[in-house]
Amino acid sequence: MSASRRSGTTNELGPDEPGESGGSDLLAALLDGMDAALCAFDADGVVTHWNREAERILGWTAAEAVGRHGFAGWAVRSADAEEVQARLMSAMHAPGRQVHEFALVTKDGGRVLVRTQSAAVRGPEGKPAGVYCAFSEVHAQIDLERSIALSEALFEDAAWGVVLIDADLRPAVVNAHAARALGIGRTSALGRPLGELLAQGVEELEAALTHVLAEGAPPAPAEMWVTVRGAQSEERRCWRNGFVRLASPLAEEPVPLGVGWLFQDVTEAKQGEQEAALLRFRTNQLHRAARAAAECEDPAEAAVVHLDFALAGFADHALIDRTAPSPRSADEEAAVRLVRLAATPAGAPGPSLLTGAAGLPVRYEAGHPALQCVERAGAVRADAGSVPAERAREWALARQWPGDAVHALCAVLRSRGRTLGVVTFLRGAGRSRFERSDTAYAEDVAVRIAAALDLAEAVRDT
């Protein structure tokens, strides 16, 4: 049945002249397809239109509603009918739309609070011919307003980045926090490929977005390390990311509109966690090394045990060089001479080996990091730098180190106020350079190695 009456005062709202039934049918179809409930009154307050959403909310069908005078006696309580009717019909002589909230009565006797928007309907001569009224349940309207308010807050005041990514994996909306994190203006980021915004981590991010578009949101946040392109510093940042798939509520089947990407910079917290985990591991290694070294009868073997335990997760190669007396006379300045005492195997990984039985000094050139370490009685760091692999290999071999070494850290071996030698830790190209925290750990290991070597010397002299 049509949602409108087909006689009398309906002419102003939905004419049904001969030969124009198609227009009336189209109007009825449009009204019935609306998501909002809609009714209309003529100038006398008689209901002329009533769509399916109004029927769903209140239970009254179009056949039962159209033709009634106002809501009195059926859609509102009698005590409220006059006030409700007056407020609705006042829109006929007022400019614009009016918003009201009423408690309406459903067909089964229940009550529902609705929010209405009413406005005048003009006739052919521009005179008021009636009123139309669109209404919805207040809780549904509040839910909609909350959703809109949430969206506005996320894109204006959120303390984390919020980006809407379209189906082509390009930013469609960017909030202020995300724009600052990306080092670009909110409008400048729109429509640009993610590869133009991120120098590193873009492949992982795009893979995650593609997965969300196809499979839906992941069950937990994902952490990714990224480098923002064009930033003043190339420091890598750790972002904790959440993803939600966006689908159109107007389609019969879910149609992906894109992905909501929320992220927060957790670099400092992540680095703190990593440093704490690394400290726990290294402390455990020192403890285990001390336990194992205590079972060695030969103190020199105990020194090698400390070296092997220190290598785990710290370096690729390690060397122990012991100081040897200079053959020069007492009047001449004594030159530093080092004899190789222990070294990790040059080929396959394995335990360090005691060497240097012949007592031949290592051919270190002047200015070698190990010699500097002994002379200064302090740690020395060295790097091959950003050079081709062949140049890096030449750099390592020239210093009597394995060819794959590109980072070095030398720590002095001191015990009872004497310098006994130097321990050198080496890293390949697959590892980062040695930092200050690495130096502190190397010095802890060096203290234990020095004590073992001092004990070995004392035992040998007795």
Side-chain angles (χ1 to χ4, degrees):
M1 175 167 182
S2 172
S4 61
R5 264 192 334 169
R6 301 199 176 195
S7 62
T9 57
T10 61
N11 288 339
E12 293 85 354
L13 301 174
D16 190 18
E17 301 298 335
E20 296 184 1
S21 60
S24 180
D25 292 340
L26 176 59
L27 175 61
L30 292 174
L31 295 180
D32 284 343
M34 293 178 62
D35 291 330
L38 187 137
C39 64
F41 304 88
D42 62 14
D44 297 325
V46 177
V47 178
T48 60
H49 292 74
W50 190 265
N51 72 349
R52 294 188 185 277
E53 185 63 13
E55 178 181 343
R56 185 193 67 79
I57 294 175
L58 298 179
W60 302 97
T61 65
E64 295 169 322
V66 173
R68 291 179 180 264
H69 190 277
F71 287 153
W74 60 290
V76 296
R77 295 188 310 170
S78 300
D80 301 331
E82 183 176 350
E83 178 187 2
V84 169
Q85 189 70 9
R87 293 170 68 180
L88 285 176
M89 298 306 296
S90 65
M92 189 167 59
H93 302 286
R97 293 179 298 175
Q98 293 188 341
V99 178
H100 303 286
E101 289 186 1
F102 303 126
L104 300 183
V105 178
T106 63
K107 187 176 181 179
D108 57 10
R111 300 183 70 200
V112 58
L113 184 64
V114 300
R115 180 173 296 175
T116 66
Q117 294 188 40
S118 52
V121 176
R122 305 292 175 180
E125 299 178 357
K127 297 180 179 180
V131 173
Y132 80 84
C133 174
F135 63 91
S136 61
E137 298 174 82
V138 166
H139 72 82
Q141 183 71 19
I142 291 176
D143 287 345
L144 175 61
E145 292 178 1
R146 283 174 177 165
S147 297
I148 296 173
L150 175 61
S151 299
E152 293 294 331
L154 285 176
F155 285 106
E156 295 297 334
D157 306 321
W160 53 86
V162 182
V163 182
L164 295 189
I165 303 292
D166 63 21
D168 295 326
L169 305 187
R170 297 177 182 236
V173 184
V174 178
N175 78 339
H177 187 98
R180 289 193 298 270
L182 293 169
I184 196 171
R186 294 183 63 177
T187 57
S188 301
L190 304 185
R192 299 178 62 178
L194 294 175
E196 295 183 5
L197 305 178
L198 300 177
Q200 295 180 0
V202 64
E203 295 85 1
E204 186 179 2
L205 177 59
E206 288 183 342
L209 294 171
T210 302
H211 172 81
V212 173
L213 282 172
E215 305 292 338
E223 293 180 352
M224 300 179 188
W225 287 90
V226 302
T227 301
V228 177
R229 190 178 297 279
Q232 295 181 351
S233 64
E234 293 296 325
E235 182 182 3
R236 298 176 69 228
R237 310 298 298 177
C238 182
W239 290 350
R240 182 169 293 149
N241 307 277
F243 303 96
V244 290
R245 181 168 62 177
L246 306 178
S248 172
L250 303 179
E252 295 182 3
E253 297 181 359
V255 177
L257 296 179
V259 177
W261 170 32
L262 296 85
F263 66 90
Q264 189 173 27
D265 193 319
V266 294
T267 307
E268 285 73 17
K270 194 66 176 177
Q271 290 175 341
E273 293 174 4
Q274 292 175 344
E275 291 172 0
L278 183 60
L279 180 60
R280 286 194 301 269
F281 173 75
R282 290 179 175 177
T283 301
N284 289 336
Q285 286 297 96
L286 292 174
H287 175 73
R288 294 173 60 198
R291 295 280 302 266
E295 302 301 323
C296 297
E297 295 183 6
D298 183 0
E301 183 184 350
V304 174
V305 167
H306 282 291
L307 187 66
D308 288 336
F309 273 94
L311 273 177
F314 183 67
D316 298 314
H317 306 285
L319 315 168
I320 298 178
D321 295 326
R322 179 68 187 270
T323 56
S326 174
R328 295 182 180 181
S329 64
D331 296 336
E332 297 179 355
E333 183 180 354
V336 177
R337 296 205 313 164
L338 296 174
V339 175
R340 181 65 44 80
L341 180 66
T344 51
S352 300
L353 303 175
L354 286 169
T355 61
L360 298 176
V362 185
R363 295 180 296 104
Y364 287 151
E365 296 180 356
H368 190 282
L371 299 179
Q372 295 181 31
C373 179
V374 174
E375 293 169 354
R376 300 175 185 177
V380 174
R381 289 180 288 175
D383 292 277
S386 301
V387 297
E390 187 59 34
R391 291 284 302 278
R393 178 178 175 81
E394 294 175 359
W395 176 87
L397 294 177
R399 287 157 180 77
Q400 308 302 315
W401 291 333
D404 60 344
V406 294
H407 309 294
L409 172 59
C410 300
V412 66
L413 302 176
R414 288 186 60 83
S415 178
R416 294 191 295 167
R418 299 179 302 149
T419 297
L420 304 181
V422 59
V423 57
T424 302
F425 296 99
L426 302 168
R427 289 178 176 175
R431 292 176 180 265
S432 62
R433 60 180 300 178
F434 289 100
E435 303 294 342
R436 291 187 179 272
S437 59
D438 299 322
T439 301
Y441 179 62
E443 290 174 341
D444 284 343
V445 175
V447 168
R448 289 161 171 79
I449 294 176
L453 294 180
D454 196 12
L455 178 60
E457 182 179 321
V459 170
R460 185 172 59 252
D461 293 340
T462 58

